[in-house]
């Protein structure tokens, strides 16, 4: 597992702490993140973002034993991408909108 960047906020340091809010996310016409303002810095997405998916919530009611979870319809719940700050720092971020597409949160940081 990658080490955490000590100079970056650790949004998952405590299980009860909320995700770290992102001030602004700019996306391309397909919804992929391109730039963001987070942790007091401007960041550019410096690789191709990977969509994070999860089975749709209603599937669990049909598959209570989770035996067919692998074939469940999936929905986009966030993005994973490498980002580089103006000062040259780079990290990989997992971001999610937590149900409100106007408000993004960093939920995991990898150095």
């Amino acid at each position: 597992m990658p080490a955490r960047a000590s100079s970056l906020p650790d949004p998952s340091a405590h299980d009860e702490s909320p995700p770290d809010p992102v001030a602004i996310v700019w996306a391309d016409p397909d919804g992929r993140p391109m730039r963001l303002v987070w942790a007091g810095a401007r960041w550019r997405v410096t690789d191709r973002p990977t969509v994070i998916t999860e089975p749709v919530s209603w599937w669990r009611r049909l598959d209570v034993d989770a035996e067919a979870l692998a074939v469940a319809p999936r929905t986009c719940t966030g993005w994973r991408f490498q980002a580089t700050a103006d000062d040259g720092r780079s990290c990989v971020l997992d971001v999610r909108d937590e149900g409100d597409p106007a408000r993004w949160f960093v939920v995991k940081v990898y150095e």
Side-chain angles (χ1 to χ4, degrees):
M1 179 187 225
R4 278 212 188 270
S6 59
S7 61
L8 300 173
D10 183 357
S12 60
H14 303 91
D15 291 341
E16 63 276 353
S17 67
D20 195 20
V22 176
I24 302 171
V25 174
W26 289 271
D28 69 12
D30 293 325
R32 286 186 296 265
M34 296 171 35
R35 295 181 294 143
L36 62 147
V37 175
W38 168 68
R42 294 185 318 185
W43 298 79
R44 288 178 295 107
V45 175
T46 50
D47 73 348
R48 183 177 176 93
T50 302
V51 69
I52 298 171
T53 64
E54 293 178 357
V56 294
S57 60
W58 56 263
W59 186 262
R60 294 193 191 279
R61 292 191 307 270
L62 302 175
D63 183 26
V64 293
D65 296 326
E67 292 181 11
L69 208 52
V71 297
R74 302 186 77 78
T75 187
C76 174
T77 59
W79 296 93
R80 176 174 288 167
F81 52 83
Q82 177 179 300
T84 302
D86 288 345
D87 65 6
R89 293 177 294 160
S90 289
C91 60
V92 173
L93 302 175
D94 285 358
V95 299
R96 295 179 181 254
D97 67 18
E98 299 292 316
D100 179 358
R103 297 198 58 203
W104 288 83
F105 297 91
V106 172
V107 295
K108 197 150 192 179
V109 179
Y110 306 90
E111 181 176 4

